Amino acid sequence: MITGKNYIGNKLSAKGNKTFTTFNPKLNIPNQYELTEATPEEIDEAVALASSAFRVYRNVPGTKRAAFLNAIADEILALGDELLEVYSSESGLPQGRAMGERGRTIGQLRAFADLISDENWREISIDEAIPGREPLPKPDLRKLLIPLGPVVVFGASNFPLAFSTAGGDAASALAAGCPIIVKSHPMHAGTGEMVASAVVKAAEKTGMPEGVFSNLNSSGIEVGVQLVKHPGVKAVGFTGSIRGGRALYDIAASREEPIPVFAEMGSINPVIMMPGAMENRREQLATTYASSITLGTGQFCTNPGLLLCMKNDASDAFIEDLAQKTVAVDAQCMLHPNIKANYDKMRSSISAQEGLEVVAEYETATQENFAASQIAKVSGASFLANKNLHHEVFGPFSMVVQCKDEEELVNIIDQLEGQLTGTLIADEEEYQDLGTIVDTLQQRVGRIIFNGVPTGVEVCASMTHGGPYPASTDSRYTAVGINAIKRWVRPFSFQDFPKELLPEALK
Amino acid sequence: MITGKNYIGNKLSAKGNKTFTTFNPKLNIPNQYELTEATPEEIDEAVALASSAFRVYRNVPGTKRAAFLNAIADEILALGDELLEVYSSESGLPQGRAMGERGRTIGQLRAFADLISDENWREISIDEAIPGREPLPKPDLRKLLIPLGPVVVFGASNFPLAFSTAGGDAASALAAGCPIIVKSHPMHAGTGEMVASAVVKAAEKTGMPEGVFSNLNSSGIEVGVQLVKHPGVKAVGFTGSIRGGRALYDIAASREEPIPVFAEMGSINPVIMMPGAMENRREQLATTYASSITLGTGQFCTNPGLLLCMKNDASDAFIEDLAQKTVAVDAQCMLHPNIKANYDKMRSSISAQEGLEVVAEYETATQENFAASQIAKVSGASFLANKNLHHEVFGPFSMVVQCKDEEELVNIIDQLEGQLTGTLIADEEEYQDLGTIVDTLQQRVGRIIFNGVPTGVEVCASMTHGGPYPASTDSRYTAVGINAIKRWVRPFSFQDFPKELLPEALK
């Protein structure tokens, strides 16, 4: 069922001779099918098709685009268990996660379909003319949001469904009226092709113009680079590493016509545990956080990689408890041998930093590609003195920083790089003392969670998934929730238009 | 009254020894006072003050920020006629324009004050918790927009009041809760200092934190470059040339932490005149456009620099008529000898292009720095073949392109660079044929005006002043109207917050 070919519009195509395979990290063997990388000609073809599709698609009514999105959801479901199996074989993630992520993907598609079923999302604004105004008549002005044009969507390694081929970036761009060209993630290109086949079926069934969707394979960076440089491409969505996201941002910014790149990148998601809560809920917090740190093998964007607390007996005991509970969780498989190798490299590099003490490490002999969780601790002073400690370790690793006082704590928060989330753990008696901490934390993050865990990103209108750089390349947008559509649109004004020429929504 | 010093927060400061003067283009003599350029130390001081002011200012309630904006408006009015005189002496613009622009500036400040008097502009969104939801409880999520941090505002040469010290960028950033550092425009730094003194008085009277506003002088690019590179600066607003705007964009994009730059740059504002309208309203159109082309000496961002029509007898006659009426308008003074020199250079360079014919040129011996208006014409084929004809000539110049058929016309529209506006002139009988033209034009512009002129930008919620690159560096925002505030804010989410810790607006 997996052909290994690219979708250039609705047609399967494999003109190139560079091939690659995906890898089953649980079995530690390559998957059997071969994927063919897109050629420069196929890339040009996909962009040309997207540009001509845009001429039609931007004027397809919202109800019909909604039908397209709902049809994609239906066709993904119709792929049945095979999709879930391929998903797991390319990611090492369990079937439960595969089902959950498919549910989220379907839910996102349907949420955007709902959103565009009427035109309210377009921020319609009408200022009627006042012909008699002095000194000058006021013209009639009507404004709405219109799509930017073809969008390139990069599949994310850690979300083969919900942030890849028909994931959040794809669904929001298609909802906005932008054709998309997906640069499939090489680690799960088989999953990508299956979902692509569902999108193509849905496009055909609902009569969408050819080129509204293409799916390109690649094992390296060349295909993505050519796409982002292409004059026909008008915006980019990416989820992944800071290095990858920044490279795309730099390419887009240096084009003759710069284009917006929304890259959701690394984050260590600081968690601040106040002394009272630490004292009173130590065990419960250790249990909760051991679970959050190891969830999905620590491969979520919102994984809590940094815990901040006061240095005292309670936090000493908490750290011990957290460490034991974390390493007691069964080791799990990582997405790919490369990701596992990178985790081990980052972990050993950070462990060698001055002042850092490894409290516990998962020790049972593990299978290949299974990650050994680790908890480390460090003093506030050491953390402040060493920026190497501020970077993400992608995997089931967390560092606890013990601060000498609140001033040091606030100083650390202030020095952090931009983050997707911050979390505050506090008892009711401590609420009154949180002013400065909340205010400082707010400047570094896109969302604060109170007495919870950062993992688990609700898909709703009030969600912000994004944050100051390097959490994202444009903190003015969210990657999750219906407002993600705002990344792909621009305001447009009609002045003194005759009614018959106005779009329906502005009449 | 003009000290020539910088405002570093509320204090006058002139530590440097590099000075410059402004120039009275009408009298063709320098103005008498000397301005002192800000030093690197003063720049650092201004940014440090802005950063510390931000800690306070971001939490100042909307009603108090509104009082500050209204007080700025009051203090600008209190500067009285002297401001208008200095304005004219530094720009060559007449008193009527000075009064009009002051009115617009005041109006913008009050409009933003109104906007932030309640919290609706923050796009508040509340999703309440559903603790019993299966399989996972839904958290309580509440979202609003928060300010980005210190914003650098560049004064615009062509709007000494409405797009400079306390103009649209300044007012929208201050409204959003961002301190601003103004890089005063060297051509009207005296006007800038006077307005700065009004802002400082208003800040003191309404108890705003020192550093919420600074005003820095400079004659070259160094001060602006240092500001945009400064890690304490979080966003940039600019109105001016493509070269200047793009340079700032490139600097901002290459920072370790890239920051958003909203640069509103050049535009030739294409006007499409349909054959019926041309036939039936030839004289009236010539009169209207002769006036629009010469308005403000052609120095508006929305000046109509390009008219597109069909090649026929009516358009031949129209061009003749337009040319005569344009050069019959009395010559007016340009903003500065440099701008006049640039206008002459651009005009003679474009006149030398293959296929371009100068139809008429203002001939009466004019005063120094007064611009000779000019109308040129060219065939659609020549225009398509030569990208040099697609660039802005800043001044009272316009080029009429005569197309052989609608296909060529649509092709030309499609090939244009991004524009602030497009204008359509059509008779009612022609409305039914406009589909492709409107659809194509919409892709290249931020606003379409129907049967009007592009000059005159209404300040209201439905205005879009911005457009595809190079009209602006981020087409997703407008520089004019209350939505200009959206450039300086980002969404922020509170998850499961106790009521007492939520901002008032989210309770």
Side-chain angles (χ1 to χ4, degrees):
Chain A
M1 173 134 182
I2 294 169
T3 69
K5 295 183 179 179
N6 307 283
Y7 273 103
I8 310 297
N10 299 346
K11 286 173 211 62
L12 284 165
S13 175
K15 295 185 179 163
N17 38 35
K18 190 168 171 189
T19 60
F20 63 99
T21 55
T22 61
F23 195 87
N24 187 323
K26 247 184 180 153
L27 304 181
N28 199 34
I29 51 166
N31 290 306
Q32 292 202 330
Y33 41 89
E34 288 204 322
L35 291 303
T36 304
E37 189 152 320
T39 65
E41 294 69 33
E42 284 172 320
I43 296 169
D44 280 342
E45 218 181 313
V47 179
L49 270 180
S51 300
S52 71
F54 182 50
R55 280 184 209 115
V56 178
Y57 191 59
R58 67 191 179 221
N59 294 316
V60 168
T63 47
K64 292 202 171 166
R65 295 201 313 284
F68 175 35
L69 293 180
N70 281 321
I72 297 173
D74 296 339
E75 294 296 335
I76 290 175
L77 280 175
L79 293 169
D81 287 350
E82 194 186 341
L83 176 67
L84 307 179
E85 285 151 20
V86 172
Y87 171 105
S88 289
S89 77
E90 293 189 320
S91 68
L93 295 167
Q95 288 288 291
R97 161 73 189 269
M99 282 192 68
E101 198 180 325
R102 182 180 64 180
R104 178 170 165 182
T105 307
I106 302 299
Q108 290 174 165
L109 285 160
R110 299 211 193 283
F112 282 110
D114 272 0
L115 179 70
I116 60 171
S117 294
D118 64 46
E119 301 284 10
N120 291 328
W121 71 272
R122 287 192 193 265
E123 295 181 4
I124 284 165
S125 159
I126 297 180
D127 283 283
E128 289 190 20
I130 308 178
R133 193 184 63 175
E134 292 294 343
L136 288 170
K138 182 177 178 175
D140 180 284
L141 273 157
R142 292 160 197 248
K143 189 208 69 176
L144 47 60
L145 299 173
I146 62 171
L148 291 179
V151 172
V152 168
V153 170
F154 284 81
S157 70
N158 62 343
F159 275 96
L161 292 173
F163 273 85
S164 291
T165 326
D169 290 350
S172 57
L174 289 174
C178 298
I180 62 169
I181 300 153
V182 176
K183 211 291 286 170
S184 177
H185 198 283
M187 291 183 190
H188 48 69
T191 309
E193 186 191 324
M194 288 188 73
V195 175
S197 74
V199 179
V200 166
K201 256 193 204 147
E204 285 173 341
K205 281 191 181 167
T206 57
M208 293 298 130
E210 178 153 15
V212 74
F213 172 85
S214 288
N215 181 57
L216 306 181
N217 296 320
S218 78
S219 57
I221 63 165
E222 295 80 5
V223 172
V225 168
Q226 189 184 335
L227 280 169
V228 175
K229 283 185 175 168
H230 202 296
V233 168
K234 300 303 177 190
V236 178
F238 172 89
T239 301
S241 70
I242 293 179
R243 215 179 52 154
R246 181 62 191 252
L248 296 179
Y249 174 87
D250 288 344
I251 291 168
S254 62
R255 286 167 48 125
E256 188 180 330
E257 176 197 2
I259 53 172
V261 172
F262 187 89
E264 189 264 271
M265 307 186 291
S267 199
I268 52 174
N269 303 294
V271 178
I272 293 133
M273 297 186 168
M274 298 300 289
M278 178 71 86
E279 180 75 40
N280 298 327
R281 294 187 268 150
R282 208 181 70 204
E283 279 194 43
Q284 176 243 311
L285 285 171
T287 307
T288 306
Y289 270 84
S291 155
S292 177
I293 290 163
T294 54
L295 193 70
T297 330
Q299 296 169 126
F300 286 115
C301 324
T302 51
N303 192 58
L306 182 71
L307 313 184
L308 303 170
C309 57
M310 291 303 154
K311 167 78 182 156
N312 56 31
D313 291 348
S315 71
D316 285 344
F318 164 78
I319 292 169
E320 207 50 52
D321 198 9
L322 172 71
Q324 294 318 319
K325 283 174 168 153
T326 300
V327 300
V329 176
D330 281 344
Q332 293 160 282
C333 191
M334 294 200 89
L335 294 160
H336 193 272
N338 293 350
I339 289 188
K340 167 67 160 53
N342 188 54
Y343 172 62
D344 288 339
K345 199 180 104 190
M346 292 294 293
R347 203 158 56 93
S348 83
S349 143
I350 213 161
S351 304
Q353 301 293 319
E354 175 96 24
L356 189 117
E357 183 187 327
V358 174
V359 185
E361 186 175 2
Y362 187 86
E363 278 175 18
T364 322
T366 56
Q367 286 174 257
E368 286 289 333
N369 306 320
F370 278 53
S373 58
Q374 184 177 312
I375 300 294
K377 70 174 179 179
V378 72
S379 72
S382 295
F383 185 83
L384 272 174
N386 186 355
K387 283 275 177 192
N388 290 327
L389 298 175
H390 295 219
H391 302 312
E392 185 182 18
V393 176
F394 189 76
F397 169 91
S398 197
M399 185 195 314
V400 190
V401 178
Q402 291 181 294
C403 305
K404 69 169 195 280
D405 52 24
E406 188 181 310
E407 196 188 330
E408 190 175 73
L409 171 68
V410 169
N411 195 5
I412 286 175
I413 298 170
D414 203 36
Q415 300 289 315
L416 289 175
E417 291 186 326
Q419 308 287 339
L420 291 168
T421 73
T423 301
L424 260 172
I425 308 288
D427 275 3
E428 207 164 335
E429 301 74 47
E430 298 173 295
Y431 289 0
Q432 68 208 47
D433 308 323
L434 294 175
T436 308
I437 290 173
V438 170
D439 188 56
T440 311
L441 186 59
Q442 192 174 30
Q443 300 311 308
R444 309 310 308 135
V445 307
R447 170 169 62 114
I448 300 184
I449 300 108
F450 207 86
N451 280 333
V453 291
T455 42
V457 181
E458 184 68 24
V459 181
C460 67
S462 305
M463 173 53 68
T464 302
H465 191 68
Y469 186 89
S472 71
T473 46
D474 195 340
S475 68
R476 296 174 299 175
Y477 298 92
T478 177
V480 173
I482 51 171
N483 287 308
I485 199 173
K486 300 290 170 71
R487 298 174 294 172
W488 321 122
V489 290
R490 63 183 174 97
F492 182 88
S493 298
F494 297 83
Q495 183 168 327
D496 289 333
F497 258 56
K499 271 239 164 75
E500 57 262 56
L501 290 179
L502 281 169
E504 273 311 312
L506 288 184
K507 277 178 187 171
Chain B
M1 174 135 181
I2 294 167
T3 70
K5 295 182 179 177
N6 307 284
Y7 274 103
I8 311 298
N10 300 346
K11 286 173 212 64
L12 284 164
S13 175
K15 295 185 179 162
N17 37 34
K18 188 167 173 191
T19 61
F20 63 100
T21 56
T22 61
F23 195 87
N24 186 323
K26 247 185 180 151
L27 303 180
N28 200 33
I29 52 168
N31 291 304
Q32 293 202 329
Y33 41 89
E34 288 204 320
L35 292 303
T36 304
E37 188 151 321
T39 64
E41 293 69 32
E42 286 171 320
I43 296 170
D44 280 344
E45 219 181 310
V47 178
L49 270 180
S51 300
S52 71
F54 183 50
R55 280 183 210 116
V56 179
Y57 191 57
R58 66 191 180 222
N59 294 316
V60 168
T63 47
K64 292 201 170 167
R65 293 201 313 284
F68 175 35
L69 293 180
N70 280 321
I72 297 173
D74 296 340
E75 295 295 336
I76 289 174
L77 279 175
L79 293 169
D81 288 349
E82 194 187 340
L83 176 67
L84 306 180
E85 286 151 19
V86 172
Y87 171 105
S88 289
S89 77
E90 292 189 321
S91 66
L93 295 168
Q95 288 288 291
R97 161 73 189 269
M99 284 193 65
E101 197 180 325
R102 183 180 65 181
R104 177 170 166 181
T105 307
I106 303 300
Q108 289 174 165
L109 286 159
R110 299 212 194 282
F112 282 109
D114 272 1
L115 179 71
I116 60 172
S117 294
D118 65 44
E119 301 285 11
N120 291 329
W121 71 273
R122 287 191 195 267
E123 295 181 2
I124 285 165
S125 158
I126 297 180
D127 283 283
E128 289 189 22
I130 308 177
R133 193 185 62 176
E134 293 295 343
L136 288 169
K138 180 177 179 175
D140 180 284
L141 271 157
R142 293 159 197 247
K143 189 209 70 176
L144 47 59
L145 298 173
I146 63 171
L148 291 178
V151 173
V152 168
V153 170
F154 284 80
S157 70
N158 62 343
F159 275 97
L161 292 173
F163 272 86
S164 290
T165 326
D169 290 351
S172 57
L174 288 175
C178 298
I180 62 169
I181 301 153
V182 176
K183 210 292 285 169
S184 177
H185 197 283
M187 292 184 189
H188 48 70
T191 309
E193 186 191 323
M194 289 187 74
V195 175
S197 75
V199 179
V200 166
K201 256 192 205 148
E204 284 173 342
K205 280 191 183 169
T206 57
M208 293 299 127
E210 178 153 14
V212 74
F213 173 85
S214 286
N215 181 57
L216 306 180
N217 296 319
S218 78
S219 57
I221 63 164
E222 296 80 5
V223 172
V225 168
Q226 189 184 335
L227 280 169
V228 176
K229 282 184 176 169
H230 202 297
V233 168
K234 300 302 176 191
V236 177
F238 172 89
T239 301
S241 69
I242 293 178
R243 215 178 52 154
R246 180 62 191 252
L248 296 178
Y249 174 87
D250 288 345
I251 292 167
S254 62
R255 286 166 47 125
E256 189 180 327
E257 176 197 4
I259 53 172
V261 171
F262 187 88
E264 188 264 272
M265 308 188 289
S267 199
I268 51 173
N269 302 293
V271 178
I272 293 132
M273 297 187 171
M274 297 300 287
M278 178 72 85
E279 180 75 38
N280 299 326
R281 293 187 269 149
R282 208 181 71 203
E283 280 194 44
Q284 177 243 310
L285 285 172
T287 306
T288 306
Y289 271 84
S291 156
S292 177
I293 290 163
T294 54
L295 192 71
T297 329
Q299 297 169 126
F300 287 115
C301 324
T302 51
N303 191 59
L306 182 70
L307 313 185
L308 303 170
C309 57
M310 291 304 153
K311 167 76 181 157
N312 56 30
D313 291 348
S315 70
D316 284 343
F318 165 77
I319 293 170
E320 206 49 51
D321 197 10
L322 172 71
Q324 294 317 319
K325 283 173 167 153
T326 300
V327 300
V329 176
D330 280 344
Q332 293 160 281
C333 191
M334 295 201 89
L335 295 159
H336 193 273
N338 293 350
I339 288 189
K340 167 67 162 49
N342 188 54
Y343 171 61
D344 288 338
K345 199 180 104 191
M346 291 294 293
R347 202 158 54 96
S348 81
S349 142
I350 213 161
S351 304
Q353 300 295 317
E354 174 96 21
L356 190 116
E357 182 187 329
V358 175
V359 185
E361 186 175 1
Y362 186 85
E363 278 176 17
T364 322
T366 57
Q367 286 174 257
E368 287 287 334
N369 306 319
F370 278 52
S373 58
Q374 185 176 312
I375 300 296
K377 70 173 180 181
V378 72
S379 72
S382 296
F383 185 82
L384 272 173
N386 186 354
K387 283 275 177 193
N388 290 326
L389 298 175
H390 295 219
H391 302 311
E392 186 182 16
V393 177
F394 189 76
F397 169 91
S398 196
M399 185 195 314
V400 190
V401 178
Q402 291 181 295
C403 306
K404 70 169 194 278
D405 53 24
E406 189 182 310
E407 195 188 331
E408 189 176 72
L409 171 69
V410 169
N411 194 6
I412 287 176
I413 298 170
D414 204 38
Q415 299 290 315
L416 289 175
E417 293 186 325
Q419 308 287 337
L420 291 168
T421 73
T423 301
L424 260 174
I425 308 288
D427 277 2
E428 207 166 332
E429 300 74 46
E430 298 175 293
Y431 289 1
Q432 69 207 44
D433 308 323
L434 295 174
T436 308
I437 292 174
V438 170
D439 188 55
T440 311
L441 186 58
Q442 191 174 30
Q443 300 311 309
R444 310 309 309 134
V445 308
R447 170 169 61 112
I448 300 184
I449 299 107
F450 206 86
N451 280 333
V453 292
T455 42
V457 182
E458 184 68 25
V459 182
C460 68
S462 306
M463 174 52 70
T464 302
H465 191 67
Y469 185 88
S472 71
T473 45
D474 194 340
S475 69
R476 295 173 300 173
Y477 298 92
T478 176
V480 172
I482 51 173
N483 287 309
I485 199 172
K486 300 290 170 70
R487 297 173 296 172
W488 320 121
V489 290
R490 64 183 173 96
F492 182 87
S493 298
F494 298 84
Q495 182 169 327
D496 289 333
F497 258 57
K499 269 240 165 72
E500 57 262 56
L501 290 179
L502 281 169
E504 273 312 312
L506 288 184
K507 275 177 189 169

